[in-house]
Amino acid sequence: MARKATTTGLSEAQLFDLRWARGRRDLIGPLTRLYGASHDTEVLLARLRDLLDSHWQARPADLRASDLARDIDPDWFLSEQMVAYVFYIDKFAGTLADIPARIPYLRDLGVTYAHLMPCLMPRPGASDGGYAVMDYRAINPALGTMDDFAATTAALRGAGISTCIDMVLNHTAKEHDWAMRARAGDPFYQQFYLMFDDDTLPRRYEATLPEVFPDQAPGSFTHYPDIGKWVWTTFNEYQWDLNWANPEVFLAIVDTILHLANKGVDIFRLDAVAFMWKKMGTDCQNLPQVHDIIQALVQATRVAAPGIIHKAEAIVGPHQLVPYLGKGAHAGKVAKLAYHNSLMVQFWSSLAARDTRLMTHVLRSHFPEGFDHACFATYIRCHDDIGWAITPEDAAHVPPMTGPGHRTFLADFYNGSFPGSFARGADFQTNAETGDRRTNGSFASLAGLEQALAEDDAAATDLAIARILMGHALIASFGGIPLIYMGDEIGLLNDHSYLADPARADDGRWMHRPAMDWKAVKSLAKGKSPAARLHAGTRAILAARKATPQLAGHVPTRIVDFGNPALFIFERRAEDRTLTCLFNFTETNQRVTPWGLKLDPARHYADLLTGAPLGLTDGLITLPPYGCLWLRPD
Ligand code: GLC
């Protein structure tokens, strides 16, 4: 029998008022702290409310329906069903209009969240991979139109896939309309940026500022003789930092986010958030005001588009990272997702060292077991380089390791120069002052597949495949949403073709941004190629994740210090059962006793990755080279 139609009796306007009342409570504090000294908070709130109301009124009906569903189930993104896939539209599909044809591939892999890498209108020529946006309200014409974009998000939504896009908050391209007006002398827009008449203040700031791109874009300021100004440019010269101390910037960005939310975006990746607030005498990263800005953005945009969530991109040390998922007064009120940069670094560190002690120490002592209505985005590779964020204090826990020594080892190991290394990566942005080097390279090339194939070494190929699958199993189980970077499910290798493109040649990160190999995908079913083995393995890992409620994002992750440096182990307990996940970071068999893992002798265990009952040899559990087990009692 059809259910009787019901109505809440609330008008859409009343719904908005309720959401505004909820949001307002968490907006007053941040807005007063950020702007209260120079602006009347009530006046600002009134302007904000009008802005939100106009976007709410323009919000399409299907998105309002999803708003309601997510308001009722605000932890929707914590589900173990969530699996993310990150891709460049041109390299994965061609254009936006070509994405729907690739949906079956995504669904087959288990994807429920698609991160479309930068697709808003970039400046012409070099654009930092699209992170220098010239117009936030237009799509890169090489990829399609805004109508194509809305149609694509709708097609993805129809297939149960949420859309994530990049929202670059720290800077705009110098060709953005705001910057052009500032450059032309408009005082209102000059306040949108950080402009100085001479270099006195820039020099004083620079005394404590680290450089992001010391090779390709040294310094953090650029002098423009034509306008007689110094402009704050943390990244490249053509990326002008926004002045977040100006509430007009806050309002303009809220306006932009909601405009895009109404085109069907579900998740906004807030790019380079750590840099948004500047203070003399500091490194101008992760300042407390950054968390106020994020809380204000999240709470404001949630009023007019409650279905959206935000992911903070802050590639920072553990102590600075935790607050991005909400700490103290911000708990539960800031971004729902943040990249787990430490997990990524520690994966590579343990793999090179064949030693998990640093990993166990860092992940156990610097992170809580879970967060309030928030979780990590777990990943092994992304489009950026790897920065070896190993502190001297952490290194000291594993004597005789030192911070600089281990960082040098990792850079050497992954550029392939360390004797016996299996990796084929490359150095990136050597910092002359500190000697630090970052690393580029695709997952497969860093994990040994490129070298093994070049040497036609079947045993080394097996090991490389096992390393890659171990990485996928780690991010699928550690806690949070796993992000599969396009091509890592089939082991795409480094691609050096970027060197022929003058707009890209000076940025080595392009080596790990290859095009999707659809030819390899076509022949997956046929055989035993590395791509086929990796694809089948990744697919099985993701399917196992989805069948395991212990892997939902709200379930705490308890890291076990087991005392065997070859192994990384954690437990996730939910629904009265503990899931124990084990990873062998060496190329030798490792044996563990069931009692050492505190397995219940009275119960039968299975490995959820294979579905097979746990087998013992001489009473011991065996993990093969780079093997993983997800053990759970029945
Ligand atoms: C983020 C992006 C990176 C870009 C930077 C500046 O870190 O991931 O690719 O270079 O922001 O926008």
Side-chain angles (χ1 to χ4, degrees):
M1 195 172 74
R3 285 217 221 149
K4 219 167 132 196
T6 57
T7 169
T8 58
L10 285 174
S11 69
E12 296 285 299
Q14 285 170 313
L15 208 50
F16 176 83
D17 286 341
L18 287 171
R19 287 174 176 148
W20 169 250
R22 176 181 68 185
R24 195 180 187 283
R25 276 200 302 270
D26 292 324
L27 281 161
I28 295 181
L31 292 181
T32 308
R33 285 191 291 275
L34 292 167
Y35 308 120
S38 53
H39 293 76
D40 182 334
T41 307
E42 286 305 325
V43 173
L44 194 56
L45 281 166
R47 284 183 62 196
L48 180 60
R49 188 187 187 287
D50 286 349
L51 179 65
L52 302 181
D53 193 21
S54 67
H55 284 289
W56 168 245
Q57 293 198 33
R59 190 141 171 92
D62 56 339
L63 298 180
R64 288 184 188 212
S66 120
D67 287 338
L68 196 57
R70 289 174 178 177
D71 242 356
I72 289 167
D73 180 18
D75 288 343
W76 61 275
F77 63 95
L78 294 175
S79 162
E80 68 278 10
Q81 301 301 316
M82 294 297 288
V83 169
Y85 193 76
V86 183
F87 61 86
Y88 286 94
I89 295 164
D90 55 344
K91 288 168 179 285
F92 179 65
T95 67
L96 280 164
D98 298 317
I99 291 179
R102 299 299 182 193
I103 288 178
Y105 177 79
L106 296 175
R107 283 187 55 108
D108 174 68
L109 196 58
V111 172
T112 60
Y113 161 148
H115 175 180
L116 280 46
M117 289 291 288
C119 57
L120 303 179
M121 171 88 91
R123 71 187 292 271
S127 66
D128 188 19
Y131 288 99
V133 179
M134 194 173 133
D135 186 350
Y136 292 100
R137 290 173 188 243
I139 294 293
N140 179 349
L143 303 173
T145 63
M146 194 49 94
D147 285 343
D148 295 335
F149 180 75
T152 303
T153 64
L156 288 166
R157 195 163 46 255
I161 300 174
S162 300
T163 300
C164 170
I165 67 162
D166 293 272
M167 183 66 217
V168 186
L169 297 177
N170 179 66
H171 44 262
T172 70
K174 68 176 178 182
E175 290 79 4
H176 190 285
D177 181 52
W178 303 335
M180 300 287 274
R181 286 170 191 254
R183 202 166 179 153
D186 183 332
F188 181 79
Y189 286 102
Q190 289 198 337
Q191 291 298 316
F192 267 51
Y193 299 92
L194 294 141
M195 303 180 113
F196 305 87
D197 293 333
D198 61 49
D199 69 350
T200 316
L201 288 173
R203 293 289 160 253
R204 283 182 54 201
Y205 276 113
E206 260 177 355
T208 52
L209 281 176
E211 289 175 311
V212 177
F213 293 140
D215 277 359
Q216 80 209 37
S220 299
F221 297 87
T222 303
H223 184 225
Y224 293 90
D226 58 323
I227 52 169
K229 299 268 186 207
W230 287 82
V231 180
W232 199 310
T233 53
T234 297
F235 293 86
N236 291 290
E237 172 276 324
Y238 51 75
Q239 290 163 301
W240 285 16
D241 286 40
L242 285 164
N243 173 21
W244 280 90
N246 177 3
E248 298 299 338
V249 167
F250 171 75
L251 291 172
I253 295 288
V254 168
D255 192 19
T256 309
I257 293 180
L258 289 173
H259 177 81
L260 294 166
N262 282 355
K263 306 291 177 201
V265 177
D266 299 278
I267 300 139
F268 285 90
R269 173 189 180 276
L270 307 180
D271 180 71
V273 284
F275 301 88
M276 284 194 296
W277 196 267
K278 328 287 186 192
K279 187 176 172 207
M280 183 68 77
T282 72
D283 63 359
C284 296
Q285 288 185 42
N286 312 302
L287 292 170
Q289 288 83 354
V290 165
H291 302 290
D292 274 335
I293 295 171
I294 298 177
Q295 177 169 328
L297 282 175
V298 166
Q299 297 306 325
T301 51
R302 201 173 155 232
V303 173
I308 65 170
I309 59 170
H310 308 74
K311 175 170 60 173
E313 191 249 349
I315 307 306
V316 298
H319 293 296
Q320 289 88 24
L321 180 56
V322 168
Y324 285 96
L325 284 178
K327 209 179 164 183
H330 294 296
K333 296 176 181 170
V334 287
K336 297 284 178 207
L337 300 170
Y339 285 84
H340 203 331
N341 161 58
S342 279
L343 179 70
M344 182 274 289
V345 167
Q346 294 302 331
F347 169 81
W348 291 111
S349 164
S350 295
L351 211 52
R354 279 80 162 177
D355 188 323
T356 59
R357 284 175 297 165
L358 182 68
M359 180 178 199
T360 298
H361 164 70
V362 167
L363 297 174
R364 214 164 93 102
S365 50
H366 299 323
F367 295 93
E369 293 182 356
F371 291 89
D372 222 358
H373 306 289
C375 70
F376 278 118
T378 52
Y379 68 112
I380 297 293
R381 281 307 283 124
C382 69
H383 67 292
D384 281 328
D385 50 291
I386 305 174
W388 300 113
I390 311 282
T391 66
E393 297 76 27
D394 286 332
H397 275 263
V398 191
M401 186 186 281
T402 66
H406 194 53
R407 292 200 296 269
T408 300
F409 162 67
L410 292 171
D412 286 346
F413 190 91
Y414 286 109
N415 73 18
S417 66
F418 191 84
S421 165
F422 49 71
R424 288 224 176 148
D427 289 344
F428 184 61
Q429 304 296 327
T430 302
N431 188 321
E433 247 171 72
T434 61
D436 276 335
R437 285 164 292 149
R438 310 195 317 242
T439 296
N440 286 324
S442 78
F443 190 166
S445 290
L446 294 178
L449 190 58
E450 186 172 334
Q451 182 171 302
L453 294 176
E455 293 173 358
D456 200 16
D457 181 334
T461 302
D462 288 348
L463 290 177
I465 289 174
R467 288 186 197 105
I468 297 168
L469 291 177
M470 181 173 76
H472 288 321
L474 176 69
I475 60 174
S477 57
F478 185 77
I481 302 182
L483 309 183
I484 306 286
Y485 183 61
M486 186 199 86
D488 287 347
E489 76 281 20
I490 54 169
L492 289 190
L493 305 179
N494 292 334
D495 170 7
H496 297 280
S497 61
Y498 74 97
L499 290 167
D501 177 350
R504 294 179 173 175
D506 74 344
D507 190 338
R509 292 176 297 174
W510 286 100
M511 75 189 270
H512 51 254
R513 300 170 185 173
M516 188 59 178
D517 186 349
W518 290 110
K519 233 173 88 198
V521 170
K522 267 211 164 128
S523 47
L524 288 179
K526 285 201 200 116
K528 290 267 165 270
S529 65
R533 290 166 61 191
L534 283 167
H535 187 269
T538 310
R539 200 167 163 269
I541 289 166
L542 298 175
R545 163 185 166 81
K546 292 183 169 212
T548 308
Q550 283 76 15
L551 296 181
H554 67 272
V555 178
T557 302
R558 209 178 69 77
I559 293 159
V560 179
D561 192 351
F562 189 69
N564 176 347
L567 300 178
F568 181 62
I569 303 177
F570 54 83
E571 294 172 348
R572 320 251 347 243
R573 183 169 177 78
E575 301 189 1
D576 257 0
R577 286 190 291 179
T578 300
L579 173 73
T580 307
C581 301
L582 297 94
F583 304 83
N584 175 4
F585 275 81
T586 71
E587 53 266 86
T588 50
N589 282 336
Q590 297 294 325
R591 296 198 161 76
V592 288
T593 57
W595 56 265
L597 289 174
K598 300 202 174 67
L599 301 191
D600 182 345
R603 299 176 81 169
H604 295 287
Y605 284 78
D607 169 25
L608 305 186
L609 280 166
T610 56
L614 173 63
L616 301 181
T617 315
D618 300 332
L620 298 173
I621 302 168
T622 306
L623 277 112
Y626 305 112
C628 342
L629 292 170
W630 291 356
L631 298 179
R632 197 184 63 183
D634 54 18

